[in-house]
Amino acid sequence: MSYDAVFVSDVHLGTTRCNVKKFSKFLKKIKTKKLVLVGDIIDVYCMEKYNTHWKKEHTECVHQILNLTKKGVEVVYIPGNHEGMLRRYCMFDHKNFSMQEEYVYKTKNGDKYLCTHGDQHSEFSSGSWKQLIFNKGYELITPMSLFLEKIFRFSLVYALKNTVRGKKYINQYENDLANYCRQKGGYKGIIVGHIHHANMRKIDGIEYMCCGDFVDTCSAIVEKNGAFQLMRY
């Protein structure tokens, strides 16, 4: 099926936690007029801090994205907190590729949706002590979760997200981003990443959508004729 737009976030190329096989397959299969990369596509932070290795397969994914632009697909790149140093290059625009801190997506119906990574607009924002603790915990848990899922088909990350504290964190983030969108004004909804929790819900009149990730969930948001769907791959 061909889409008007596809939104994806939190791929974390450059790390072992990136599900590069599924992301590569996803890029080969998608048919869209526009691809919006909603942050943390390349994990510059982990590569610098933990010396994680960039593999040939990761380069191939970058080439696939660039090849989409050559085929006429408009690609919008919104840097996330794991590639925060790229934010200085926002407003870069060349042919079908642009880099923006936030992006306004407009459907054929005229509805406007604010696209932002999300790390800067919550009490769990980048730089806060809560986000620091969350990042450290996630970095420790993810390799263990991937191992358990491979051997026992048990996701530790999924289990922790479904604890009382995990649900509270997710709900707070979703409400913070919906409030941010409401305060900006003029938008029907907001499309984000950052939290690695794929979801679509309405919060006090604002359509909140999170792409998920290509680490655990392997999901994306797709849109055609004003209708949005959460797809898992």
Side-chain angles (χ1 to χ4, degrees):
M1 185 175 181
S2 179
Y3 301 104
D4 293 325
V6 172
F7 306 82
V8 63
S9 73
D10 298 275
V11 180
H12 294 277
L13 290 170
T15 69
T16 53
R17 57 182 173 163
C18 166
N19 197 323
V20 67
K21 287 184 179 179
K22 282 193 176 181
F23 186 57
S24 178
K25 190 175 180 180
F26 160 78
L27 290 173
K28 287 175 183 175
K29 285 192 171 184
I30 58 167
K31 294 179 180 179
T32 181
K33 297 174 184 176
K34 185 172 294 188
L35 174 64
V36 184
L37 305 170
V38 196
D40 285 357
I41 305 303
I42 300 173
D43 201 328
V44 180
Y45 171 80
C46 281
M47 285 191 287
E48 289 185 343
K49 191 173 180 75
Y50 303 109
N51 197 30
T52 57
H53 296 294
W54 183 272
K55 297 181 179 179
K56 179 184 176 182
E57 292 82 359
H58 299 167
T59 302
E60 288 172 356
C61 286
V62 174
H63 285 164
Q64 284 175 301
I65 292 170
L66 294 175
N67 284 337
L68 287 173
T69 66
K70 292 176 183 177
K71 292 176 182 177
V73 177
E74 182 184 349
V75 176
V76 179
Y77 194 150
I78 303 167
N81 53 303
H82 279 250
E83 60 219 345
M85 59 290 298
L86 297 180
R87 283 176 170 153
R88 72 185 73 175
Y89 302 110
C90 286
M91 302 313 293
F92 172 83
D93 194 339
H94 179 68
K95 294 184 179 180
N96 288 349
F97 181 88
S98 66
M99 189 173 285
Q100 303 183 37
E101 190 158 353
E102 291 187 339
Y103 175 68
V104 179
Y105 178 70
K106 194 172 182 180
T107 67
K108 289 178 179 177
N109 306 331
D111 296 323
K112 293 195 296 183
Y113 291 82
L114 180 63
C115 304
T116 182
H117 183 59
D119 64 295
Q120 297 173 306
H121 310 297
S122 168
E123 69 173 71
F124 297 96
S125 296
S126 299
S128 71
W129 65 270
K130 289 183 180 181
Q131 182 60 42
L132 181 64
I133 291 172
F134 177 80
N135 281 346
K136 289 292 183 184
Y138 196 82
E139 286 161 12
L140 289 170
I141 290 165
T142 301
M144 192 186 304
S145 181
L146 292 172
F147 173 78
L148 291 171
E149 194 165 355
K150 186 176 181 180
I151 304 299
F152 303 106
R153 294 188 178 180
F154 171 75
S155 173
L156 180 59
V157 170
Y158 179 81
L160 290 171
K161 283 179 181 178
N162 280 279
T163 61
V164 173
R165 184 167 290 185
K167 288 178 180 178
K168 184 180 178 181
Y169 167 81
I170 291 167
N171 186 63
Q172 181 64 57
Y173 176 84
E174 292 177 345
N175 276 278
D176 286 345
L177 270 294
N179 286 335
Y180 172 71
C181 180
R182 190 178 300 105
Q183 289 166 10
K184 294 277 283 186
Y187 298 104
K188 190 173 183 180
I190 187 167
I191 301 170
V192 304
H194 185 54
I195 199 173
H196 291 218
H197 183 72
N199 197 17
M200 293 176 66
R201 60 181 285 210
K202 206 161 192 174
I203 304 174
D204 297 329
I206 296 294
E207 292 181 17
Y208 167 90
M209 291 176 271
C210 182
C211 305
D213 60 81
F214 265 87
V215 176
D216 309 300
T217 314
C218 297
S219 59
I221 299 286
V222 298
E223 183 270 333
K224 186 175 179 66
N225 296 327
F228 290 85
Q229 281 184 286
L230 177 62
M231 303 290 287
R232 297 179 188 272
Y233 296 88

